[in-house]
Amino acid sequence: MSLIRIAGAGPSGLAAAITLARAGRPVELFERREDCGARFGGDLQGLESFSSDRSVLDELRDAGLEADFAHRGFTRGFQFNGNRADLHEFSQPAFYVVRRGTMADSIDQSLKRQALAAGVTLRFGESLDPAAADIIATGPRQRRPYAVCRGFVFKTDAPDLAVALLNDAAGLKGYSYLLVSNGEGCLCTSLWSSFRRVHQCLAEARRLLLERWPVRREEERPVGGWVHFSGRPHWREGGALVVGEAAGLQDFLWAFGLRAALRSGVLAANSILAGDDFARAAAAQFEGFIKGGVVNRFLWEVGRHGRYRAPMAALRWRGAERLLRDFYRYNRLQQFLYPLARGYVRVMHPHLTV
C-alpha cells in the first residue's frame, strides 16, 4: 500500500491519520513544532455540540476517535454586556470545554496517543513541502487573520462557570469570555477588527468580567492565537487534499471550529480509502456551515450596536438552544439573506474570500 504523508499534526491532521492507519494504510505525519498542541499554552476552548441534535462526543466515537481527553459539558452559561446578564440553559451540553496544549489531558495529546497506537509515524520538528503531501492540515495559512484572541489561563478553586461578554470595548465585533472548568480558568478577548486594540480590550474584559464574577486566580499565564476563514475553501492543492483551517474552514461567527476541523480530517481520510472525490464531498458537507456563518457574521455585526441588545433579545425571545441550532443549519432566512451578507462581508472584510 502506498504511504500517505500528512502535513500538520493539529486535530484535523491527527483525525485523518488515525482513520487511515486504523484502516491499514501506512501514514507519516509531519509537524514543524516539537509536539502536538505546542501552538497552545493550556487554553480552554469549546468543542461545540449545539449545532446538532447529535452530541459531538457521539460523532467522534462513531468516527473511531476516543474522547479520552479532559472534557466538561456545559448545560448553562451567561451572556453579559457589561450591564445585563442573561442565564441560558440547555437540555444537553451546548459545548464541552477542552484543553489545548502539550499537557497529558489535552485533546491534542489524546489524538497523538491514538495516532501512535494506530501505527502512525510522527515526525516532529520537520516541515513537509505541501507539494509532497497527500493531506495538508497545517492550520491557518493566510498572513492576515480575520480574528485574534488574547488572554490568560489560571488555576482556581471557583465552581464551573461559562460567561460570554458582548461589549465592543472588551472585544470589538467579537466577544470576550470567562471559563472555569474543573479548577482551570481562562479569560480571553477576541477581536474581529482593529487588532492593535487587543491589549486595551483585554484589560476592559478583565475589569468587567472579574468585577461581576470575582473568581480567585493563581498562576496566571498568557495565551493567545488567531484564526482564518474563507467563504470559498480550497479543498485541493495540486494533488493534496486540504482540511481544517488550512482550507479556510472555520466558524465565522464565534470561531467554534474544532468540530468541523475533526470532521474534515475524517472525511478526507475516508475519501482516500474509498477513492471518492473529497472536494465534492467536502463542499456538500460544509457548504451550509460556511454560508450560514457568513450570514451569522453579518447579523452579528449589524446587531452589535447598543451593547448587542438585539442578539441578546433574540436569544431570550427564541431561546438560546433553539436559536443557535436553527442558525447553524443554514435555514431559509439565512438562504434569503446570503447575497446581502456576502456583499457586506466583501466590503467590511475585503481581505477575506467570500
Side-chain angles (χ1 to χ4, degrees), residues 235-236 267 276-286:
W235 305 113
R236 294 195 69 95
L267 182 63
D276 293 338
D277 184 338
F278 170 68
R280 179 178 296 178
Q285 174 80 244
F286 295 109

Side-chain angles (χ1 to χ4, degrees), residues 99-133:
R99 298 180 76 192
R100 303 298 309 276
T102 58
M103 59 287 305
D105 64 352
S106 72
I107 189 171
D108 308 277
Q109 289 294 303
S110 167
L111 292 169
K112 171 188 168 182
R113 289 191 295 271
Q114 293 177 59
L116 291 171
V120 175
T121 299
L122 282 163
R123 301 194 179 280
F124 292 114
E126 296 185 40
S127 296
L128 177 64
D129 185 343

Side-chain angles (χ1 to χ4, degrees), residues 203-279:
E204 181 65 3
R206 177 195 282 262
R207 184 186 71 82
L208 290 171
L209 286 166
L210 295 180
E211 282 183 1
R212 178 64 175 79
W213 289 273
V215 300
R216 193 162 70 90
R217 306 171 310 285
E218 296 178 351
E219 302 178 32
E220 288 189 7
R221 291 180 291 106
V223 293
W226 58 279
V227 292
H228 174 66
F229 168 84
S230 174
R232 286 182 287 167
H234 60 288
W235 305 113
R236 294 195 69 95
E237 184 174 312
L241 312 184
V242 190
V243 298
E245 277 193 82
L249 182 62
Q250 180 58 271
D251 169 23
F252 197 29
L253 177 59
W254 290 330
F256 273 107
L258 190 52
R259 183 177 190 173
L262 292 162
R263 185 184 290 167
S264 71
V266 172
L267 182 63
N270 285 329
S271 295
I272 290 174
L273 294 171
D276 293 338
D277 184 338
F278 170 68

